């Protein structure tokens, strides 16, 4: 790694109750490898911090703009603009601002993140700070930052295949990776998935952690996942934020949809949410500019 690529800041948002857990082991691997590489690693250990998950009036200092009906999104946006958000939110927002990469480390709960981590997303990624209607997706506020999900499952990999009982993992990951991370602009790296660590032999778990360690060493060279760029859509309320007619026409001749979410009634592009595309991109899709971490 060259000099300029060193001393980046990585934030690990971590949610597990137990220091003896597999997730804790995965988190520690990341801290060790990234620190070895010269990065500054900051960990938000949400259970240890007793991080509050519920988005309430308590998050706003001082008077509300419109007390009735209470609108959490509007009030927190105003509070952010006026420096009146609660201290725990402000502290996390500072960590986000400083980070070039955010890793979310967690056990999958109900096809998503544990409630305490959902609370972090709900409360920290406030309108104005993390997104606006003018600044979203590939034009989003955090477009120069990277983010990735690193999580364990109870299920096996086959259960999350397109023909497995849980359905396609690409579909499961779309809301978090597109609807939250990429919506805020993040370049999303392929997720690190630890399949069913509680149900595999000890040597398989060790191999999973070794694989994670090796991946982290090469993370700076990884390309992000692809999402549909805003420019393909009519970005107006009048136009319904719909795919532009010329883009739709182009995709009519394509075998697959654009992304997992923008499937256009066609087969989903394979592994769209779990693998970065090969070097040569499909026309119309975008991987945002690469940054070094
Ligand atoms: C509310 C809830 C909802 C859930 N929803 C889902 C769902 O939707 N889909 C799904 O697939 N699963 C679901 N699960 C299951 C959950 O995702 C798994 O239980 C979890 O991912 C396992 O991770 P862990 O860190 O808790 O594992 P642990 O149970 O802590 O660890 C697994 C094994 O790894 C061992 N270990 C710890 N450290 C190391 C180390 N350094 N090296 C090697 N081995 C080590 C542990 O001793 C243990 O034997 C749910 C669970 C709950 C509680």
């Amino acid at each position: 790694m060259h000099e300029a690529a060193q001393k980046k800041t990585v934030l690990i948002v971590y949610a597990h109750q137990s220091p003896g857990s597999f997730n804790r082991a995965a988190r520690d691997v990341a801290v060790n490898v990234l620190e070895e590489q010269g990065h500054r690693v900051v960990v938000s250990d949400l259970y240890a911090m007793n991080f509050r998950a519920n988005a309430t009036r308590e998050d706003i200092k001082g008077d509300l703009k419109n007390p009735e009906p209470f609108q959490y999104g509007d009030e927190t946006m105003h509070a952010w603009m006026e420096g009146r958000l609660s201290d725990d939110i402000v502290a996390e927002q500072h960590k986000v601002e400083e980070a070039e990469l955010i890793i979310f480390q967690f056990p999958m709960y109900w096809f998503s993140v544990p409630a305490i981590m959902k609370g972090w997303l709900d409360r920290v990624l406030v309108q104005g700070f993390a997104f606006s209607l003018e600044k979203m997706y590939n034009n989003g506020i955090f477009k120069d930052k990277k983010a990735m999900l690193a999580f364990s499952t109870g299920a096996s990999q086959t259960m999350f295949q397109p023909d497995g009982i849980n359905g396609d993992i690409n579909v499961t990951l779309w809301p978090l990776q597109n609807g939250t991370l990429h919506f805020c602009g993040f370049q999303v790296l392929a997720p690190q998935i630890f399949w069913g660590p509680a149900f595999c032999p000890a040597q398989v778990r060790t191999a999973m952690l070794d694989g994670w360690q090796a991946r982290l060493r090469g993370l700076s060279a990884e390309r992000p996942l692809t999402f549909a760029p805003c420019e393909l859509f009519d970005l107006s309320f009048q136009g319904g934020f719909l795919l532009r007619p010329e883009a739709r026409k182009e995709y009519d001749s394509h075998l697959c949809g654009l992304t997992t979410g923008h499937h256009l009634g066609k087969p989903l592009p394979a592994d769209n949410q779990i693998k970065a595309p090969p070097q040569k991109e499909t026309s119309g899709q975008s991987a945002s500019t690469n940054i070094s971490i």
Side-chain angles (χ1 to χ4, degrees):
M1 184 178 293
H2 56 81
E3 197 65 28
Q6 288 179 355
K7 294 204 175 93
K8 299 285 182 183
T9 296
V10 180
L11 170 62
I12 302 180
V13 183
Y14 165 73
H16 202 291
Q17 307 87 343
S18 168
S21 68
F22 185 84
N23 270 272
R24 174 58 181 264
R27 164 197 131 168
D28 290 347
V29 164
V31 171
N32 292 340
V33 172
L34 293 166
E35 284 185 348
E36 260 170 41
Q37 289 185 318
H39 299 306
R40 172 175 166 253
V41 183
V42 177
V43 176
S44 283
D45 184 341
L46 300 182
Y47 288 104
M49 292 157 68
N50 203 16
F51 191 80
R52 191 156 57 74
N54 47 351
T56 68
R57 163 77 177 89
E58 305 297 303
D59 294 347
I60 299 135
K61 293 180 184 173
D63 293 338
L64 297 175
K65 295 280 172 201
N66 295 300
E68 271 307 320
F70 174 61
Q71 303 275 10
Y72 182 83
D74 290 348
E75 294 292 343
T76 49
M77 181 182 68
H78 287 299
W80 171 75
M81 290 192 296
E82 294 164 9
R84 294 186 294 106
L85 282 170
S86 65
D87 295 343
D88 60 342
I89 295 178
V90 171
E92 294 307 298
Q93 289 182 339
H94 282 154
K95 294 178 196 174
V96 171
E97 278 170 339
E98 286 181 356
E100 275 95 355
L101 167 68
I102 304 182
I103 298 174
F104 294 88
Q105 179 68 58
F106 59 95
M108 177 184 272
Y109 277 9
W110 295 119
F111 280 34
S112 186
V113 293
I116 200 165
M117 187 173 277
K118 180 61 164 53
W120 189 97
L121 298 171
D122 289 349
R123 297 180 61 229
V124 176
L125 301 179
V126 167
Q127 182 164 1
F129 170 72
F131 70 93
S132 69
L133 268 188
E134 295 75 40
K135 291 183 178 175
M136 60 178 175
Y137 293 118
N138 54 312
N139 301 320
I141 289 172
F142 300 137
K143 64 184 162 59
D144 294 327
K145 298 179 188 289
K146 292 179 180 178
M148 73 182 294
L149 305 179
F151 62 94
S152 60
T153 65
S156 65
Q157 187 167 9
T158 55
M159 290 167 81
F160 271 110
Q161 285 179 185
D163 58 348
I165 192 161
N166 288 345
D168 191 341
I169 188 71
N170 288 278
V171 175
T172 309
L173 295 176
W174 177 257
L176 279 172
Q177 293 192 152
N178 181 72
T180 306
L181 300 180
H182 191 53
F183 183 74
C184 295
F186 286 106
Q187 298 177 43
V188 183
L189 297 180
Q192 178 70 24
I193 311 177
F194 303 102
W195 298 105
F199 302 104
C200 55
Q203 62 269 30
V204 175
R205 287 197 294 270
T206 305
M208 285 199 275
L209 293 171
D210 289 348
W212 178 218
Q213 194 174 51
R215 182 178 172 196
L216 284 159
R217 292 209 169 98
L219 214 56
S220 58
E222 284 193 18
R223 294 165 58 78
L225 300 172
T226 53
F227 296 88
C230 285
E231 291 66 31
L232 292 183
F233 300 87
D234 180 341
L235 300 177
S236 69
F237 284 104
Q238 214 177 12
F241 293 82
L242 283 165
L243 198 59
R244 291 181 184 280
E246 58 273 24
R248 176 166 275 281
K249 197 155 171 256
E250 187 194 330
Y251 278 93
D252 274 350
S253 62
H254 286 218
L255 214 60
C256 295
L258 209 70
T259 66
T260 300
H262 307 103
H263 52 71
L264 310 177
K266 296 167 186 262
L268 303 186
D271 293 341
N272 175 252
Q273 290 295 291
I274 58 172
K275 277 191 190 152
Q279 201 62 26
K280 192 173 176 306
E281 287 168 21
T282 316
S283 82
Q285 291 182 321
S286 81
S288 319
T289 48
N290 278 327
I291 50 172
S292 173
I293 179 77

